[in-house]
């Protein structure tokens, strides 16, 4: 039986194979999601087909790999559901102890998924901001790694793979317009980072327009953008929305998000609850069952005049995580 460091003869010399006795790679096969047409000019990237059924796997694998190398006593994350699920899954893969702080109103299906991966769930009374505050307080304890998809830049270096994959899938170019959901803005900021890298290396000759989408019920960034502000004047009023994953009243990276959209020549759009419901049903009847947050971009595209050139929207989370949106809330 060959040893971990196996020696072979090649062309009269000795070749040593790499030591493969270490821990397995953390990857669960995230990325390389399909790009499918919705209209003649609009395509959807099916990120709800990730291992934990949301785009958050792109960044979570980076956080878990960093945590594994640092060797903390425990990992803490805060989330409205999808990021926490992704961190829980990749911590399980890495053999790391994990706790996920979530708002008390989080979808039961998302809580079930987090717990199935072996993570503890800590239900926090109040909104998403209260959850983040509780997690940050717990993360101050010794031996804790705070796997924050909002504050840790490693997460953005994971989400930027969304744009790199589009560049590969489209034969070395990017679409004219990228429509992206924005709560904390981790996908948009990762995409903006990738666009600058591709442009800076001369791999694309133009930058796509970034169109950011928020739910009308909680849209602090859209309001600031259209008011010409460079940052938020304060947190937005928290109202119920089916798009729970982007219902962030005071995103910490607000100034970066606003700058990235403006620099691209883009804009912000908001979508109503009725538009979200209609978009979810429309996609389902096309064979794509996506959670309400994940359909926000398609809702925005359907409601607005068609943009020139090609457009790509992400379908970010699977409908199995929440069920079908109904008149009274989520199914």
């Amino acid at each position: 039986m060959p040893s971990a460091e196996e020696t072979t003869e090649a062309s009269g010399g000795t070749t040593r194979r790499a030591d493969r006795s270490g821990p397995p790679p953390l990857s669960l096969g995230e990325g390389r999601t399909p790009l499918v047409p919705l209209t003649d000019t609009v395509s959807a990237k099916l990120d709800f087909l990730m291992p934990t059924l949301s785009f958050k796997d792109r960044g979570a694998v980076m956080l878990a790999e960093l945590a594994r190398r640092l060797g903390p006593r425990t990992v803490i994350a805060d989330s409205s559901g999808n990021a926490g699920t992704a961190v829980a899954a990749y911590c399980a893969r890495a053999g790391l102890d994990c706790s996920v702080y979530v708002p008390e109103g989080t979808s039961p299906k998302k809580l079930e998924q987090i717990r199935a991966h072996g993570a503890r769930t800590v239900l926090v009374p109040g909104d998403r901001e209260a959850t983040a505050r509780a997690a940050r307080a717990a993360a101050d304890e010794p031996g804790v790694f705070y796997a924050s998809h909002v504050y840790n830049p490693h997460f953005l270096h994971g989400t930027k793979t969304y744009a790199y994959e589009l560049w590969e899938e489209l034969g070395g170019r990017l679409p004219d317009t990228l429509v992206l959901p924005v709560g904390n803005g981790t996908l948009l900021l990762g995409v903006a980072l990738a666009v600058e890298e591709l442009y800076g290396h001369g791999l694309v000759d133009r930058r796509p327009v970034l169109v950011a989408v928020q739910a009308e019920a909680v849209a602090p960034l859209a309001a600031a953008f259209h008011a010409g502000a460079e940052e938020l004047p304060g947190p937005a009023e928290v109202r119920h929305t089916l798009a729970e994953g982007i219902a962030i009243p005071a995103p910490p990276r607000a100034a970066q998000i606003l700058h990235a959209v403006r620099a691209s020549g883009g804009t912000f759009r908001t979508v109503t609850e009725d538009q979200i419901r209609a978009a979810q049903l429309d996609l389902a009847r096309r064979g794509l069952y996506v959670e309400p947050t994940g359909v926000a971009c398609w809702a925005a595209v359907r409601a607005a005049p068609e943009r020139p050139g090609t457009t790509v929207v992400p379908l970010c989370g699977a409908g199995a995580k929440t069920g079908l949106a109904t008149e009274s809330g989520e199914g």
Side-chain angles (χ1 to χ4, degrees):
M1 187 172 185
S3 64
E5 188 177 53
E6 182 178 303
T7 302
T8 60
E9 296 299 321
S11 303
T14 299
T15 300
R16 291 190 180 274
R17 295 181 184 171
D19 186 345
R20 301 186 184 280
S21 62
L26 280 189
S27 175
L28 292 168
E30 64 286 336
R32 300 291 181 183
T33 54
L35 183 67
V36 301
L38 296 178
T39 72
D40 289 342
T41 59
V42 181
S43 295
K45 190 155 172 61
L46 310 190
D47 264 24
F48 70 92
L49 298 180
M50 291 281 193
T52 76
L53 308 182
S54 91
F55 87 92
K56 296 290 176 62
D57 290 1
R58 294 184 183 277
V61 65
M62 299 290 287
L63 293 182
E65 179 59 50
L66 176 60
R68 180 167 69 169
R69 296 182 185 191
L70 294 175
R73 171 177 55 83
T74 190
V75 173
I76 283 178
D78 59 275
S79 168
S80 59
N82 284 340
T85 298
V87 170
Y90 285 92
C91 281
R93 177 76 166 168
L96 295 167
D97 183 82
C98 180
S99 293
V100 181
Y101 285 64
V102 294
E104 58 185 354
T106 298
S107 163
K109 294 180 182 180
K110 292 182 180 179
L111 294 177
E112 179 182 333
Q113 191 180 5
I114 292 169
R115 290 165 180 156
H117 290 307
R120 292 176 295 278
T121 54
V122 181
L123 299 180
V124 180
D127 62 13
R128 182 67 182 80
E129 291 301 306
T131 302
R133 288 194 297 271
R136 288 197 298 270
D140 284 338
E141 296 296 320
V144 175
F145 177 84
Y146 183 28
S148 171
H149 62 290
V150 179
Y151 292 103
N152 195 310
H154 284 77
F155 195 90
L156 302 184
H157 284 279
T159 59
K160 76 181 182 183
T161 59
Y162 176 88
Y164 275 106
E165 286 177 23
L166 285 176
W167 179 80
E168 292 175 342
E169 288 163 328
L170 295 173
R173 59 186 180 86
L174 289 172
D176 297 292
T177 302
L178 289 168
V179 184
L180 300 156
V182 175
N184 279 308
T186 54
L187 182 56
L188 185 142
L189 290 174
V191 165
L193 180 63
V195 167
E196 289 308 309
E197 290 175 353
L198 288 165
Y199 185 80
H201 287 291
L203 297 172
V204 293
D205 58 9
R206 55 166 183 76
R207 300 174 177 90
V209 171
L210 304 183
V211 175
V213 178
Q214 296 204 286
E216 186 178 88
V218 185
L221 290 162
F225 180 89
H226 292 299
E230 294 184 1
E231 52 188 47
L232 297 185
E237 177 187 357
V238 178
R239 294 187 287 161
H240 172 74
T241 175
L242 297 165
E244 62 179 9
I246 53 174
I248 309 297
R253 294 181 179 269
Q256 289 175 265
I257 297 165
L258 292 167
H259 173 75
V261 174
R262 287 196 176 104
S264 76
T267 190
F268 271 81
R269 294 179 185 163
T270 60
V271 291
T272 67
E273 303 302 290
D274 285 344
Q275 288 170 333
I276 291 170
R277 291 187 191 96
Q280 188 186 32
L281 284 172
D282 178 73
L283 286 171
R285 288 165 183 165
R286 297 167 183 257
L288 302 168
Y289 189 33
V290 184
E291 68 173 340
T293 299
V295 306
C297 291
W298 178 234
V301 168
R302 294 178 78 223
E306 186 172 327
R307 295 187 64 88
T310 56
T311 296
V312 171
V313 300
L315 303 183
C316 296
K321 286 175 168 281
T322 57
L324 192 65
T326 65
E327 290 299 322
S328 59
E330 291 188 24

